[in-house]
Amino acid sequence: MPQQPDEIWDAIRGELRRDTPDFKFHIWLEPLELAAIHERTVYVRAPDHIRTSVAERYLPLLRRAAAAGFDPNALVEVVGEDWEPPADARPEVAPEARRGDRLNPKYTFDQFVIGAGNRFAHAASLAAAELPGHSYNPLFLHGSPGIGKTHLLHAIGNYVERFGSGLEVRYATIEEFTSEFVEAIRQNATAGFKQRFRGADVVLIDDVQFLAGRDRTREEFFHTFNSLLEGGRQLVMTSDRAPEDIPGLEERLIERFRSGLVVELELPELTVRTAILAKRAWLDGVDVDLEVLVEIAHRVTTSVRALEGALIRVVAYASMLGEPATPELARHVLRRLQVDESPDARSINEILEATAQEFGLELKDLTGLSKRREVTRARHVAMYLADQLTTHTPGEIGRAFGQRDRTSVTYALKQVDASVHKDQLVRNSVNNLRRRLAQPS
Ligand code: ADP
Ligand code: MG
């Protein structure tokens, strides 16, 4: 059992997290803080607006979590914002003292939905987990934030811990790796540090893009890295960009990273995004209509993380209103989010103008009747951007595009959503336009 208050609280939170659907965790449990520990009582501080509800609904769960994570006979009290701890209580935790993430039990291969953008990354990760050191080594996963890299990395760790007959796993973010190393130097204990990483069978390092620019750690990383590979240990890394695009990384490290398998994860298409949401809802035990999931999958296209965040908010919002989630409600919540996130959203007219320019067409081509392939393609792209960058509904977008009806807009959105994955031209123009429209006018 952990002894330090921060470790105890980490353990309790881990239990809570495991036992609670994400949307409930997000509303009721995430805002809680450790106030103090006094003898066997854990004092948990809740913001005033949820305190009574937390005490009414979650005390039994909090007690169970404290029993599992702290002391079998632990008691829990939910206290308010101005509560003062008893004089001899153990001090509360400084947030920065919290330990880094361990393996998240929810990040497993089972819970990972496979689609076009991540199939290969999934297969390579599973191979590395099944036969560590014998398949792709090192395995380097990269892709934009929120795309599932950490999920796969933890899935490998969880798999090896479960089925690896005693193989040792080390997981660390590059930040943790670095700070442990710096601490080891300070204490003249680098031998122990080396042992810790080099003694492991499977080493998982998250977010190596942050390795750049730190000479001595990079040196150590390189040596640790080489000795792991030479000893037949499995190494898996993630990064938000490809090895050659990590700024300031020296050639020999880039070469080393590329010497195994480098795989990129891409954002899954609409059907897979919907499947991810369906799985998430099912795992969290919430009942959400398919059309609501489609609405969310359709509107949120930046990352899987954003997708899940949107689902959580929609469900949380509906549950606070005591109403079922509907596509309208989802649209309402997402619009509010979008307005919050992008106050400079563009007007449909600006989008039409920019798109016409990008494709070398006249604005009236886009709103006109031409069915020429180049024109249709440009029109579809403009509709797609109007859907993403404005708060207009497909019906409103249709009207702005020369009185077209809603279904032709939704058809266009599906077309573009599929072709950004397949068609280089469409992808480039969407990216160019996004960039152009993101600049202040
Ligand atoms: P990254 O490390 O690439 O920034 P994460 O691995 O943290 O992204 O993923 C963000 C969230 O999306 C996590 O909750 C993860 O479980 C979820 N996720 C990502 N890809 C998938 C997928 N293919 N199936 C199910 N959940 C996914
Ligand atoms: Mg990550």
Side-chain angles (χ1 to χ4, degrees), residues 304-319:
V304 180
R305 181 177 299 122
L307 201 61
E308 295 190 336
L311 174 66
I312 289 171
R313 283 174 211 229
V314 169
V315 173
Y317 190 76
S319 113

Side-chain angles (χ1 to χ4, degrees), residues 26 51 70 124 165 171 225 231 262 298 313 317 356 377 385 413:
H26 174 73
R51 188 182 148 212
F70 167 44
S165 18
Y171 167 86
F225 196 92
V262 177
H298 178 68
R313 283 174 211 229
Y317 190 76
R377 176 147 58 188
L385 290 168
L413 302 180

Side-chain angles (χ1 to χ4, degrees), residues 1 12 15 42 61-72 74-76:
M1 289 267 166
I12 294 177
E15 295 291 327
V42 180
L61 177 66
L62 283 162
R63 291 220 172 101
R64 275 204 305 282
F70 167 44
D71 181 312
L75 300 172
V76 176

Side-chain angles (χ1 to χ4, degrees), residues 248-260:
L249 199 65
E250 66 252 63
E251 198 55 39
R252 57 174 189 164
L253 257 177
I254 296 178
E255 283 308 311
R256 268 322 220 160
F257 286 178
R258 296 169 60 91
S259 62

Side-chain angles (χ1 to χ4, degrees), residues 146 149-151 206-207 238 305:
K149 303 179 297 291
T150 299
H151 188 132
D206 213 352
D207 289 326
T238 74
R305 181 177 299 122

Side-chain angles (χ1 to χ4, degrees), residues 8-53:
I8 294 171
W9 183 235
D10 264 359
I12 294 177
R13 269 175 71 99
E15 295 291 327
L16 292 173
R17 174 122 239 180
R18 202 191 322 264
D19 290 346
T20 325
D22 278 351
F23 81 97
K24 288 191 178 154
F25 186 85
H26 174 73
I27 310 174
W28 304 112
L29 301 173
E30 197 156 52
L32 304 183
E33 287 169 12
L34 179 64
I37 294 176
H38 184 51
E39 292 166 356
R40 284 195 179 142
T41 307
V42 180
Y43 294 89
V44 176
R45 195 187 302 281
D48 288 334
H49 67 283
I50 58 168
R51 188 182 148 212
T52 326
S53 313

